[in-house]
Amino acid sequence: MRGSTIANFIGTSAVATEIKRQARRAAQLDATVLLHGETGTGKELLAQGIHNLSARADGPFVAVNMAAVPDNLVEAELFGTAPGAFTGADRKARLGKFELANGGTLFLDEIGDLSLPLQVKLLRVLQEQQVEPLGSNQVRPLDVRVIAATHVDLEARVAEGGFRADLFYRLNVLSLRVPALRERREDVRALVEALLDDIAARSGQRPLELADDALALLAEQAWPGNVRQLRNLLERAQLSAEHGPLDGAALAALLSTAEPALAVPAAVASSRAAAPVALSEATPDTLPGECVVPLADCLARAERTALLAALRACGGNRRLAASRLGISRAGLYAKLQQHGIAR
């Protein structure tokens, strides 16, 4: 991924083309970028592409997943430590990710997982462009561009008090929403071909071939895990296929045994509109063969319904609709775009 370009975000659909256009525009600027979108959509790939197309391309690209770092180590990981900063610390100074990214780009993935106390320190670093390592009383100048990413609604987190508003505004200078795979189903075939070639190159095997009905089946899935989940499935398919193109029946068997949440075509899932069912009624005896609709699809459908209802109730007035929904106008516009509702 370190050599990734924006062109590596595969797809020619309208939404894929638009996010690549926005990413190229962001690369021309040196402002902070906030990438938001579901897990597995390719946020780090785009961040790397933005860096490689920017004036900082010759500098380092350093990535850190905030969700993967224990809370008690986040400060040292980001800002570094002075010699002997705490019991058990190295006697030598340890550079943090900010200093390692000096002159280049720091990608902070899952920024929504950062604790409130550390949000304060991060905000100061972003504003002052200088860092004070843990256990030190000296600050060091920085020249770092930050690209942050999250799969959670940071505006909602701000409203709940779980994320600082001032940090959100500091991060949200350039905001790019990375589309979910189910929003660009026409890109699935190209994605599958590229992923299968990469899987084969890494495994030393011949690329797996998929029959047309298998490709059609993949395009029908909801993909709650997006491109990452698609790749995971294809890796298992590569291992399980013995010879010849893998057809739809074989792939359906793989889906049903390994990916129960993907076993229902999206068209079928969306046609099951969800008349409310009491928990006492939702039993195998009364609902034989009933399949579970992915939670992401249920939430997306409910959110779209709420947006349309608010717009109707407010006579199309976006400002009033946003106020009644408890979100900002920018947040409303982003959600309208996300759900394909004409602005």
Side-chain angles (χ1 to χ4, degrees), residues 228-290:
R228 183 180 296 124
Q229 187 176 21
L230 173 61
R231 182 188 181 94
N232 183 272
L233 175 70
L234 293 176
E235 287 176 340
R236 289 201 304 275
Q238 174 86 57
L239 292 173
S240 63
E242 295 182 358
H243 56 80
L246 192 70
D247 60 20
L251 187 62
L254 187 62
L255 283 167
S256 64
T257 57
E259 298 283 352
L262 295 180
V264 185
V268 175
S270 60
S271 69
R272 290 178 178 165
V277 178
L279 289 177
S280 60
E281 298 172 345
T283 65
D285 291 334
T286 56
L287 295 174
E290 183 69 10

Side-chain angles (χ1 to χ4, degrees), residues 21-230:
R21 183 196 69 79
Q22 293 177 12
R24 292 188 178 97
R25 174 61 177 159
Q28 298 172 14
L29 307 171
D30 202 41
T32 305
V33 178
L34 179 62
L35 301 172
H36 50 103
E38 296 176 10
T39 181
T41 50
K43 296 186 288 295
E44 184 172 351
L45 186 151
L46 277 178
Q48 175 74 63
I50 291 171
H51 167 77
N52 286 338
L53 195 60
S54 74
R56 296 177 177 271
D58 291 334
F61 177 85
V62 178
V64 56
N65 188 324
M66 307 308 301
V69 182
D71 290 344
N72 60 334
L73 297 179
V74 172
E75 186 172 2
E77 185 76 9
L78 289 180
F79 311 124
T81 61
F86 51 87
T87 303
D90 198 320
R91 293 182 180 180
K92 296 181 180 179
R94 181 178 182 274
L95 295 180
K97 291 296 192 287
F98 267 97
E99 288 189 90
L100 291 174
N102 204 19
T105 302
L106 177 62
F107 176 60
L108 298 177
D109 199 6
E110 300 300 353
I111 191 67
D113 284 20
L114 194 63
S115 67
L116 284 169
L118 285 174
Q119 289 176 30
V120 176
K121 189 161 186 178
L122 175 60
L123 177 62
R124 178 171 291 277
V125 172
L126 293 176
Q127 290 176 334
E128 305 297 334
Q129 278 290 294
Q130 56 187 24
V131 66
E132 181 179 344
L134 185 64
S136 173
N137 57 4
Q138 294 183 336
V139 295
R140 300 172 185 171
L142 291 172
D143 175 24
V144 175
R145 182 192 196 177
V146 168
I147 300 178
T150 181
H151 75 281
V152 301
D153 186 341
L154 283 187
E155 284 188 281
R157 292 287 302 277
V158 169
E160 297 165 357
F163 201 86
R164 291 181 62 93
D166 47 6
L167 178 57
F168 171 72
Y169 296 131
R170 185 65 185 79
L171 293 170
N172 199 40
V173 178
L174 295 174
S175 179
L176 280 67
R177 192 189 74 83
V178 186
L181 185 53
R182 63 181 172 277
E183 297 175 51
R184 53 189 194 102
R185 297 182 190 279
E186 57 267 50
D187 294 333
V188 168
R189 181 181 290 267
L191 271 168
V192 167
E193 291 176 356
L195 290 171
L196 286 176
D197 285 346
D198 185 63
I199 291 168
R202 291 173 184 269
S203 65
Q205 298 177 294
R206 293 182 59 186
L208 173 67
E209 294 183 23
L210 297 184
D212 286 343
D213 60 343
L215 286 166
L217 181 61
L218 291 178
E220 292 174 346
Q221 305 306 313
W223 298 116
N226 295 290
V227 179
R228 183 180 296 124
Q229 187 176 21
L230 173 61

